[in-house]
Amino acid sequence: MKKRRLFILVVFIIAFCAGGYFAWDYFAAKKTYVPYSKFYELLEKDQVAAARIKADSIEFTTEDKTFKTENPHSSTLEETLLKNGVAVTVEKDSAEIFNLIFDAVFYIFFFGIIIVVFRKFISPNTFKVVHKTGVKFDDVVGMENLKRDMTQVMKIMQNPREYAAKGIRMPKGVLLEGEPGNGKTLFAKALAGEAKVNFIPAKATDFESMFMAIGPMKVKLLFRKARKQAPCIVFIDEFDGIGTVRNYTGSALETENTRIVTALLNELDGFEPSNGVLVLAATNSIQALDPALIRPGRFDARFCVPYPDYDARVQLAQMYCRGKNPGADCTPEVLAKMMDGFSCAKIESALNRAALLAGQESRECFTLDDVRQASREV
């Protein structure tokens, strides 16, 4: 409401000033009109002391009086007046003044839009820092080997100097490879929760922009923030969306991708073992990544996030059946066997869909037939 009142007040002041300007110009004292020939005659006799050139008239002053004549719009008039020692004033007409005002408003609006867009795309708040993820390894079903390996990385990150004294450095980057829906993001959050360090999540789309060079700037912004928040885990999901093999075809998209990959390489090379920043990236296809990114010394630790095994599927079935009403035939063991080769996300979706199918037929419990149908649909 206050902004609206302020806007109305500004518009009123502008309108009042404009009206006052034109009223003053209109109601000003009328000047005695003389023909242009008379003006030129007085000029040749050096009787013109000053002249004001307007858009459609000329006001000139002699020793004792002010006159007005028409403006011939001669390109040499001002020069002639100056040669004759006349004090010349060239007055801008209203159309020119409005053009200047319009140009000023346009440039203010144009550069304002640019500033707003850049603040949106390169805002310091683009990447949020999560101080407590609220997830631990106990919340992640299965992945026991991965938990054991990453626990060692976590200990190095927590005590870098102790391990450095033994000649052991923390990996600069850890790559998690696996099919979608198997819990790579959840595992990254759990690692940060177990290590009790800051967590900065990002995804490939965060680096995309309609403007060139914004992607590399966002990469620098991300890692600058990570260094300030150390010890910290940077998690980049859908890593194959920005870390793909560089292609020097010259197209705009390929050029931007090349710049992003180069920025990533520069940031990874700038890490020191004592920085306390671990980059965790998730990808569905390691073959799509640029070889320079995954060479030793950069993303030099790779772990596979597999489909859940039988024991993990039993635990997942128990977890996702909570709050639902499975039939007597839908035991976790039976469901685990039925869902062999399912990802964690697909198991959850199938059981949720099965419960919905039972609800559509007003049945309290879902059956194995519901699970089979749901498995085909998800």
Side-chain angles (χ1 to χ4, degrees), residues 212 215-216 239-248 251-264 288 290 293:
M212 293 290 290
F239 191 53
D240 44 290
I242 59 170
T244 51
V245 178
R246 286 171 287 182
N247 189 344
Y248 300 95
S251 68
L253 289 176
E254 293 296 344
T255 301
E256 184 72 353
N257 175 73
T258 298
R259 289 174 177 172
I260 291 175
V261 173
T262 303
L264 282 168
D290 192 278
L293 278 174

Side-chain angles (χ1 to χ4, degrees), residues 29-94:
K30 300 298 182 182
K31 310 296 188 304
T32 302
Y33 177 81
V34 296
Y36 183 78
S37 58
K38 179 64 175 178
F39 162 70
Y40 204 80
E41 180 184 339
L42 293 172
L43 179 62
E44 289 181 332
K45 294 179 179 179
D46 293 330
Q47 294 181 7
V48 178
R52 178 183 294 273
I53 303 174
K54 295 186 174 183
D56 55 356
S57 63
I58 299 174
E59 294 179 1
F60 63 95
T61 305
T62 60
E63 293 181 356
D64 57 351
K65 199 170 182 181
T66 300
F67 300 91
K68 183 177 181 180
T69 188
E70 59 267 12
N71 185 352
H73 297 287
S74 171
S75 58
T76 60
L77 175 61
E78 185 177 354
E79 182 182 0
T80 302
L81 291 170
L82 291 172
K83 285 181 178 180
N84 284 272
V86 179
V88 180
T89 302
V90 180
E91 188 176 286
K92 297 182 182 297
D93 64 338
S94 57

Side-chain angles (χ1 to χ4, degrees), residues 50-247:
R52 178 183 294 273
I53 303 174
K54 295 186 174 183
D56 55 356
S57 63
I58 299 174
E59 294 179 1
F60 63 95
T61 305
T62 60
E63 293 181 356
D64 57 351
K65 199 170 182 181
T66 300
F67 300 91
K68 183 177 181 180
T69 188
E70 59 267 12
N71 185 352
H73 297 287
S74 171
S75 58
T76 60
L77 175 61
E78 185 177 354
E79 182 182 0
T80 302
L81 291 170
L82 291 172
K83 285 181 178 180
N84 284 272
V86 179
V88 180
T89 302
V90 180
E91 188 176 286
K92 297 182 182 297
D93 64 338
S94 57
E96 191 173 353
I97 293 174
F98 272 115
N99 286 336
L100 290 173
I101 294 174
F102 177 79
D103 289 343
V105 171
F106 171 78
Y107 284 117
I108 291 172
F109 178 77
F110 177 75
F111 287 109
I113 290 293
I114 291 179
I115 292 172
V116 169
V117 169
F118 269 77
R119 285 181 62 86
K120 177 178 176 61
F121 285 103
I122 321 178
S123 170
N125 298 321
T126 299
F127 303 104
K128 302 290 185 181
V129 179
V130 181
H131 299 290
K132 293 182 179 179
T133 62
V135 183
K136 297 293 184 68
F137 280 162
D138 292 340
D139 300 312
V140 180
V141 175
M143 306 187 197
E144 299 305 324
N145 293 334
L146 183 58
K147 290 177 183 177
R148 183 179 62 253
D149 293 334
M150 292 304 296
T151 297
Q152 186 178 18
V153 174
M154 177 180 65
K155 290 179 179 178
I156 298 174
M157 185 169 63
Q158 291 174 326
N159 305 287
R161 294 183 180 177
E162 178 184 337
Y163 282 88
K166 301 176 184 178
I168 301 173
R169 68 168 177 82
M170 185 182 72
K172 292 182 180 179
V174 175
L175 200 59
L176 301 179
E177 182 186 17
E179 295 298 320
N182 278 332
K184 296 186 289 294
T185 302
L186 181 65
F187 182 82
K189 292 180 180 179
L191 178 62
E194 286 286 340
K196 297 179 181 178
V197 297
N198 294 321
F199 181 72
I200 304 180
K203 53 186 180 296
T205 53
D206 291 334
F207 301 93
E208 295 176 355
S209 172
M210 67 179 73
F211 300 103
M212 293 290 290
I214 296 295
M217 293 178 69
K218 286 187 175 182
V219 171
K220 295 178 182 179
L221 174 66
L222 171 63
F223 285 94
R224 189 185 305 124
K225 178 172 285 190
R227 289 184 176 93
K228 291 180 181 179
Q229 298 294 331
C232 174
I233 291 177
V234 175
F235 176 66
I236 306 176
D237 200 5
E238 304 165 1
F239 191 53
D240 44 290
I242 59 170
T244 51
V245 178
R246 286 171 287 182
N247 189 344

